[in-house]
C-alpha cells in the first residue's frame, strides 16, 4: 500500500514544526511513517521512530510513495539516489531549527533546479504531498550525489562570502 515517509534527519535541534504537520498527512488515507529525531512533539497518526540506521532509512525511502524531509544534504541525496522526488521543508534558524539558513538556501536551489518540491509554510505540506511526481526524472548526477551536492552548496557559499566581504 502507498506510504508517506517523513524524516527530519539526525540534527540534535528539534524540528517540531514539521513533525506537528505529520498528522495532516495521515488524513490522506495513506500510512505515514515519521522519523522525528529530537522533536518534542509526536504525531498521533503515524508509525514513529526517533532515529533509524542508514540502511533501514534507505529501505523506507525506496518503499515510500512520497518522502518529506528537511533540506539536509544526506536526506535529499538519499531521496534522489533512490529515484524519489522529495518534498523538502527547510529548517529555519529564527525558529531554532538550524544554526544558520543554509537549508533555506539549499532547499530553494533544489526547487529552482526541479529536484524537489519546496515547502516553507507547513500549512501547504498536505497539498504539496498530493501533487508530488511519482518519481524523479534521472538527473545525470552520479551515485556520489551527496559529494556533488556538497560541492555545489560549498561553491554557492564561497561566492556569497565573496560578495559579502567585497
Amino acid at each position: 500500500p502507498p506510504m508517506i515517509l517523513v524524516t527530519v534527519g539526525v540534527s540534535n535541534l528539534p524540528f517540531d514544526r514539521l513533525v506537528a504537520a505529520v498528522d495532516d498527512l495521515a488524513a490522506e488515507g495513506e500510512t505515514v511513517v515519521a522519523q522525528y529525531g529530537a522533536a518534542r512533539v509526536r504525531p498521533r497518526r503515524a508509525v514513529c521512530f526517533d532515529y533509524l540506521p542508514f540502511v533501514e532509512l534507505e529501505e523506507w525511502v525506496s518503499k515510500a510513495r512520497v518522502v518529506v524531509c528537511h533540506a539536509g544534504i544526506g536526506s535529499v541525496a538519499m531521496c534522489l539516489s533512490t529515484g524519489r522526488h522529495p518534498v523538502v521543508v527547510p529548517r529555519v534558524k529564527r525558529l531554532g531549527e538550524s544554526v544558520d539558513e543554509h537549508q533555506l538556501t539549499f532547499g530553494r536551489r533544489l526547487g529552482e533546479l526541479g529536484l524537489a518540491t519546496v515547502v516553507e509554510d507547513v500549512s501547504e505540506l498536505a497539498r504539496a504531498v498530493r501533487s508530488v511526481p511519482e518519481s524523479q526524472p534521472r538527473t545525470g548526477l552520479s551515485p556520489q550525489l551527496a559529494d556533488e551536492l556538497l560541492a555545489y552548496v560549498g561553491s554557492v557559499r564561497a561566492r556569497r562570502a565573496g560578495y559579502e566581504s567585497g
Side-chain angles (χ1 to χ4, degrees):
M3 180 260 295
I4 298 168
L5 174 69
V6 179
T7 175
V8 301
V10 295
S11 171
N12 58 353
L13 295 171
F15 199 3
D16 294 346
R17 184 170 57 100
L18 175 56
V19 175
V22 167
D23 282 331
D24 295 338
L25 303 179
E28 302 297 309
E30 288 182 272
T31 301
V32 180
V33 175
Q35 178 265 315
Y36 57 80
R40 294 162 295 214
V41 296
R42 298 286 177 277
R44 293 184 316 280
R45 303 165 67 190
V47 177
C48 295
F49 301 96
D50 54 356
Y51 295 98
L52 288 166
F54 182 86
V55 173
E56 261 183 72
L57 184 60
E58 204 167 37
E59 281 174 31
W60 283 108
V61 167
S62 65
K63 287 190 244 175
R65 177 183 71 83
V66 179
V67 179
V68 177
C69 63
H70 70 148
I73 288 171
S75 298
V76 170
M78 186 182 288
C79 290
L80 296 177
S81 67
T82 53
R84 295 291 167 275
H85 177 94
V87 175
V88 171
V89 182
R91 291 171 175 264
V92 177
K93 180 183 179 183
R94 70 181 159 75
L95 299 175
E97 300 164 346
S98 182
V99 295
D100 60 24
E101 298 299 10
H102 75 277
Q103 286 210 0
L104 216 45
T105 305
F106 183 58
R108 287 172 179 166
R109 186 65 181 134
L110 289 168
E112 288 166 12
L113 294 169
L115 294 175
T117 297
V118 183
V119 174
E120 294 183 31
D121 178 347
V122 292
S123 69
E124 297 169 10
L125 187 59
R127 187 181 52 77
V129 164
R130 274 195 304 276
S131 60
V132 84
E134 277 298 311
S135 67
Q136 177 70 46
R138 287 287 162 223
T139 57
L141 291 166
S142 75
Q144 291 77 39
L145 186 58
D147 292 338
E148 290 181 30
L149 289 172
L150 274 170
Y152 166 76
V153 171
S155 71
V156 169
R157 255 199 210 131
R159 282 199 307 271
R160 197 171 56 233
Y163 293 141
E164 287 164 6
S165 64

